[in-house]
Amino acid sequence: MAVCARLCGVGPSRGCRRRQQRRGPAEAAAADSEPDTDPEEERIEAGAAALAGAEGGRSAGPSSPPRCSLLELPPELLVEIFASLPGTDLPSLAQVCTKFRRILHTDTIWRRRCREEYGVCENLRKLEITGVSCRDVYAKLLHRYRHILGLWQPDIGPYGGLLNVVVDGLFIVGWMYLPPHDPHVDDPMRFKPLFRIHLMERKSATVECMYGHRGPHNGHVQIVKKDEFSTKCNQTDHHRMSGGRQEEFRTWLREEWGRTLEDIFHEHMQELILMKFIYTSQYDNCLTYRRIYLPPSHPDDLIRPGLFKGTYGSHGLEIVMLSFHGKHARGTKITGDPNIPAGQQTVEIDLRRRIHLPDIESLRDFNELSRIVLEVREQVRQEQQQEGGPEDAEGLGRQSPQPCAEPPAEQAKGPGDGGAEAAAEPPAQSGQGQPFVLPVGVSSRNEDYPRTCRMCFYGTGLIAGHGFTSPERTPGVFVLFDEDRFGFIWLELKSFSLYSRVQAAFRNADAPSPQAFEEMLKNIQSLAS
């Protein structure tokens, strides 16, 4: 190899010291490498195997290395140099010469790559007890399963979900994030492990299913295609409980809702809960996940976009992604229900149309609120008719299928519980506020909503019947409380939804580009339809 000749100081490149001095060690090692036609994973595995014992590689050549050669550097300096390179480059570097291969056998190099590339803070030295090296952890665990790190939405019919796959110590763990118990929207998220992958006892990764209450058991992870993977449990008997389905349902109800069925007096709500248990329990054997990204942030956004927990009537709390698109904002469902499935847009906000609500006493009158909002809707319709553009009658660009929201148990159609609020004159960043109160007759699942707000905008809430039937947009009011909370008034339903930010740091969840995020939104909505 030409790169071997230069690094070892033999061949026609031996005297070209100026060229070698201009290049850094890493550049000289990689600049003239022969192209590798194998997939990246095979290169990593082959390089790791070569480091473990292949001592019959290329020799350094018959000539003594010149003074400028990398081979003249002390081993501890080469270890430092190699440890600063990306792990994916090291297998190719190991093929340069025997000395490099021996040095790359140093676990210090791979320990640093595990820490810097994947955030492994665990004391990797204890792996020596099991005979597993840091190189094995990097090549056979972290690098091999790097494509599943990040946020995912499971394909559980209309219910969806939020899965976060992370490097957790010496494991890769898939954590399912669950909203707090209804209606405590400000409480922190709950989470439980669905699967884990580790490399503790053998030199090949072990996948374990964590579903059920009988401990880890054999599972399987398969990367289906780009931005999609699936999990399978090979021992579903571990999911069953001795008391049968009734015991499983009672346990699920305590975990999912934090109560017993006897505590839930509303008959329709009981039906919704039982339906969800029956439906979701069908997916305890195999699940498919689609990648989702966090929305990109811009300096002129009203608030920082991200994930929020929201109240949705008898459906409980659901997870919504708030994103900004120029003069509009959208709330996309990450979790859903039989009325509006996960992936659909639950609310859309027209940031061009501020709504200035009356004083606190007038605001208590729902008819006054309705009059103000309907006047804005009529103005939107008239402007749209004059322009004759492709946008819908509400002045918001329509996405592929018509999006909608879902009904609470108390009504034939609707999202959650209703409410209204007061608009504020000052900008959202000013921190000032205006007194806010729900109009008489507007229901709210959570009565502990903020009593001041910053500003309000016209928007549309998306409602539908059971099974996503007869979807329609209805006018409403977006209420900004502060950086971490907002609300939406469903005018037709006389219902109020309160949303609170998901306070969690997610790694490997940023979109590679704004276009990739927009494409992701279209994909999850089209699949939901």
Side-chain angles (χ1 to χ4, degrees), residues 253-326:
L253 189 60
R254 287 194 302 268
E255 295 176 350
E256 187 82 6
W257 292 83
R259 63 183 79 176
T260 65
L261 196 63
E262 291 74 20
D263 297 331
I264 303 171
F265 301 107
H266 200 286
E267 182 178 349
H268 184 58
M269 188 173 182
Q270 292 179 346
E271 294 175 356
L272 291 173
I273 291 173
L274 184 59
M275 182 188 309
K276 184 174 183 179
F277 169 74
I278 295 174
Y279 195 99
T280 57
S281 62
Q282 303 173 23
Y283 290 85
D284 63 354
N285 177 42
C286 185
L287 268 177
T288 300
Y289 303 86
R290 297 183 296 267
R291 183 180 294 279
I292 59 176
Y293 297 116
L294 292 177
S297 179
H298 306 93
D300 56 346
D301 288 342
L302 193 64
I303 60 173
R304 179 167 54 91
L307 299 175
F308 290 78
K309 306 153 284 182
T311 56
Y312 279 86
S314 296
H315 295 295
L317 299 187
E318 298 187 14
I319 304 173
V320 171
M321 176 185 291
L322 178 68
S323 57
F324 292 90
H325 310 262

Side-chain angles (χ1 to χ4, degrees), residues 48 82 84-85 99 108 176 260 318 334 444 451 487:
F82 295 167
S84 66
L85 299 176
K99 181 175 181 178
T108 303
M176 182 68 84
T260 65
E318 298 187 14
I334 303 302
S444 176
R451 264 41 181 190

Side-chain angles (χ1 to χ4, degrees), residues 86-107:
T88 52
D89 291 346
L90 299 183
S92 297
L93 190 59
Q95 300 177 26
V96 171
C97 61
T98 304
K99 181 175 181 178
F100 284 6
R101 182 158 51 254
R102 284 200 303 267
I103 291 175
L104 285 169
H105 193 69
T106 306
D107 236 23

